[in-house]
Amino acid sequence: MAVHRILTGITTSGTPHLGNYAGAIRPAIEASRKADAESFYFLADYHALIKTADPERVQRSTLEIAASWLAAGLDTERVWFYRQSDIPEIPELTWLLTCNAGKGLLNRAHAYKAAVDKNVADGEDPDAGINMGLFMYPVLMAADILMFKAHSVPVGRDQIQHIEMARDIAARFNHLYGEHFVLPAAAIDESVATLPGLDGRKMSKSYDNTIPLFASSAVLKKSIAGIVTDSRAPGEPKETEGSALFQLYQAFATPTETAAMRDAFAAGISWGDAKQALFERIERAVAPMRDHYESLIARPALIEQKLQEGAAKARAIATPFLNELRHAVGLRRLDAVSHAGTKTAAKAQALPQFKQYREGDGRFYFKLVSAEGRLLLQSRAFESPKEAGQCIAGLKAGGAVGGDAVAAEGVEQAEIAQALAAFGE
Ligand code: TRP
C-alpha cells in the first residue's frame, strides 16, 4: 500500500475554539487513523512570532493547543506530533528555500498584499508596520511542508496559495539541484465543517466571535446564549438555511439528530430551546475530552516530554534529509566527494521543453513548458514552422523574448529566464 503523508501546522497564537476542533483537529485525528496514512501535525510556534510579541501568550497557546490535540485523542505513537521550534533543521531549510523563492512570488502573497493595500488605503507608507516575518511566512511554511515530503496538506481555503508557493519553490529547487522534494498539494475537504461563529461569520479569532473548545460548561452555555438568531417567536417555523445555531448543531450531531432538529425548526422550536439543545449536544461531545484536557494542562511537564519525544522522531527524518540538501547545494566538507553527475543527471530528467504545433488557423506556434509541465511562455503565430523554429533557436541561444512570445499568467520573467538558461548549459 502506498503511504500517504499528511502534514499540517497550527499557529500557537490563541486558545483553541470549536471551529478549530471541527475544522482541523477532529478531521486530522480521523485521517491519522487510516492504515495508509503517515501524519505530521505540529505546533507552528515560529509562525506565532509573526503575529504576536507576547511571550506568555505564545507559551500558553502552545500548551493549550498541544493539550487539546492530546485530549481529542491524537495517538502520538502513531503520528509525528512536534513543536516547530524544536526542529532546528526547519529554519535552516528556510534559508535554502529563501534563495530559491522569487521576491515577486512573495510580493503576491495574499496576507502581505492585504497589509500593503491597507497601508496604502490609510495613506501610510506601503510597508508601514510590516515585518519580514510576514513577508517570509510562505517560505517558512514551505520548509515545514517540504522537510517531511508531505503529499497532502489539509488547510483552510485561505492557505491554498501558500501550498502553491511551496510547490513552486520546491519545483525550482528540484530543477536546479535534483529531485529532492515531493511537490505537495492542498487538501480541502468539502465535508469538513467550517463553523460559523456567534455572529454567523466564519468562527475566527480575528472576528472575535469564537466559542472556546474547553471552557467550563457554564461558559459554554453562556457563549451559546450569545449566538445571533432572527426574531421569530416560539411556534413560528424557523429557517435552518443560514442559521449559525443549526450549523453548529449539525457539526456535532449524528445525521439522525440533525434530521430531528430540522423537524423541530420547521415545527417552530423556540430559540431558547434550540440553544439549550445545542448546549447539551456540544457538552456531551466535549465533556469527556474536557476532563482529560484539564488533567493535561495541570501537568505541563508531561506534555513537554511528549513534544520532546515527537521532536526526536521528527528529527530522525529531518537531520539526514537536511544533510542531503546541504550536500546538494554545495555546503559540503572540503574533503567530501561530489556526487558526480548529480546535477547533470537531474537536468537530464527535468528539462524545460519547447513544443511546436499548428493551430486550427493553419499557423504555427510554440510554447515553453517547465520541467514540471507548467506552461511558461506562449508564442505569437508564425506563418511557417521554420520561422517558429528560428525563434526557438534564438531563445535557446540566449536571445531576448521580445514580442515573439508572452509569459503565461502568473509566471515571472525570472522563471522564464531560468528555464531558458537551462538550454545554454
Ligand atoms: N499557516 C498555517 C495557518 O495559519 C499554519 C501553518 C504553518 C501550516 N505551517 C504550516 C499549515 C504548514 C500547513 C502546513 O493556518
Side-chain angles (χ1 to χ4, degrees):
M1 192 179 329
V3 183
H4 189 71
R5 275 212 182 158
I6 311 169
L7 176 145
T8 198
I10 311 93
T11 307
T12 56
S13 53
T15 293
H17 53 69
L18 289 181
N20 298 138
Y21 175 71
I25 302 175
R26 188 175 63 187
I29 291 177
E30 270 168 32
S32 75
R33 295 187 173 133
K34 297 210 178 102
D36 64 344
E38 283 186 348
S39 303
F40 292 70
Y41 299 146
F42 70 96
L43 304 157
D45 55 347
Y46 283 134
H47 278 100
L49 302 184
I50 296 165
K51 290 196 198 170
T52 172
D54 177 350
E56 306 310 321
R57 179 164 155 207
V58 175
Q59 185 192 24
R60 177 74 197 172
S61 171
T62 305
L63 175 68
E64 289 178 351
I65 295 176
S68 299
W69 281 77
L70 298 173
L74 186 72
D75 177 357
T76 55
E77 295 291 312
R78 216 186 134 64
V79 308
W80 285 253
F81 185 59
Y82 53 95
R83 172 172 48 201
Q84 188 185 31
S85 68
D86 286 335
I87 319 292
E89 290 82 1
I90 289 177
E92 190 170 348
L93 175 56
T94 301
W95 181 252
L96 303 190
L97 299 179
T98 297
C99 299
N100 286 282
K103 178 167 179 287
L105 181 80
L106 296 176
N107 284 340
R108 289 195 295 275
H110 300 318
Y112 168 72
K113 239 171 67 180
V116 170
D117 291 349
K118 181 170 185 305
N119 279 334
V120 171
D122 294 350
E124 299 270 3
D125 180 84
D127 280 326
I130 298 178
N131 62 52
M132 283 302 288
L134 180 67
F135 189 70
M136 294 295 294
Y137 186 112
V139 186
L140 177 58
M141 190 160 154
D144 292 333
I145 298 168
L146 301 177
M147 177 63 87
F148 296 102
K149 300 193 163 107
H151 301 106
S152 82
V153 186
V155 283
R157 295 192 175 282
D158 58 327
Q159 299 289 318
I160 295 178
Q161 188 194 33
H162 295 149
I163 316 297
E164 285 169 357
M165 290 183 168
R167 282 180 76 89
D168 274 11
I169 295 168
R172 182 181 301 210
F173 190 100
N174 284 353
H175 173 62
L176 289 173
Y177 300 111
E179 295 293 311
H180 296 280
F181 293 126
V182 166
L183 304 191
I188 309 289
D189 186 344
E190 301 296 342
S191 71
V192 164
T194 304
L195 290 199
L198 298 172
D199 58 359
R201 290 184 296 173
K202 176 186 169 186
M203 190 181 291
S204 162
K205 255 180 324 215
S206 28
Y207 295 144
D208 196 19
N209 65 357
T210 63
I211 303 177
L213 173 56
F214 291 128
S216 65
S217 81
V219 169
L220 177 62
K221 189 164 187 151
K222 201 162 156 250
S223 295
I224 288 175
I227 296 172
V228 174
T229 55
D230 62 27
S231 56
R232 281 174 221 211
E236 268 186 82
K238 316 236 166 0
E239 292 286 346
T240 53
E241 187 74 26
S243 161
L245 200 158
F246 184 79
Q247 285 175 49
L248 284 162
Y249 187 84
Q250 186 168 30
F252 288 88
T254 64
T256 319
E257 290 167 334
T258 303
M261 182 56 83
R262 193 182 294 282
D263 292 346
F265 265 56
I269 186 175
S270 74
W271 287 125
D273 289 349
K275 283 180 175 176
Q276 179 62 24
L278 174 63
F279 164 69
E280 284 169 12
R281 188 64 195 82
I282 294 181
E283 177 66 13
R284 188 142 57 85
V286 167
M289 295 191 281
R290 184 194 288 133
D291 292 343
H292 190 185
Y293 176 82
E294 273 159 11
S295 77
L296 285 164
I297 286 281
R299 286 181 300 171
L302 188 89
I303 300 184
E304 181 61 36
Q305 193 197 329
K306 284 215 178 286
L307 291 178
Q308 293 301 333
E309 287 164 10
K313 200 167 147 183
R315 290 192 72 195
I317 297 175
T319 309
F321 187 36
L322 191 73
N323 283 338
E324 172 191 323
L325 296 171
R326 288 178 58 105
H327 184 92
V329 300
L331 306 179
R332 301 170 182 163
R333 285 177 55 97
L334 298 183
D335 56 355
V337 181
S338 157
H339 294 165
T342 300
K343 188 168 179 194
T344 356
K347 295 252 158 155
Q349 54 177 294
L351 268 176
Q353 281 187 317
F354 278 104
K355 296 190 175 163
Q356 270 187 269
Y357 56 96
R358 191 174 188 181
E359 278 287 44
D361 62 5
R363 299 197 291 173
F364 299 86
Y365 298 79
F366 67 81
K367 57 190 178 183
L368 175 64
V369 183
S370 77
E372 299 74 39
R374 193 153 83 98
L375 176 65
L376 300 177
L377 204 57
Q378 170 66 61
S379 81
R380 66 176 172 87
F382 293 92
E383 292 311 321
S384 74
K386 192 172 164 205
E387 268 181 75
Q390 280 168 347
C391 184
I392 292 175
L395 289 172
K396 284 185 177 174
V401 173
D404 287 326
V406 293
E409 210 186 42
V411 173
E412 277 172 76
Q413 292 304 331
E415 200 174 341
I416 293 169
Q418 195 174 27
L420 290 174
F423 293 98
E425 285 166 21

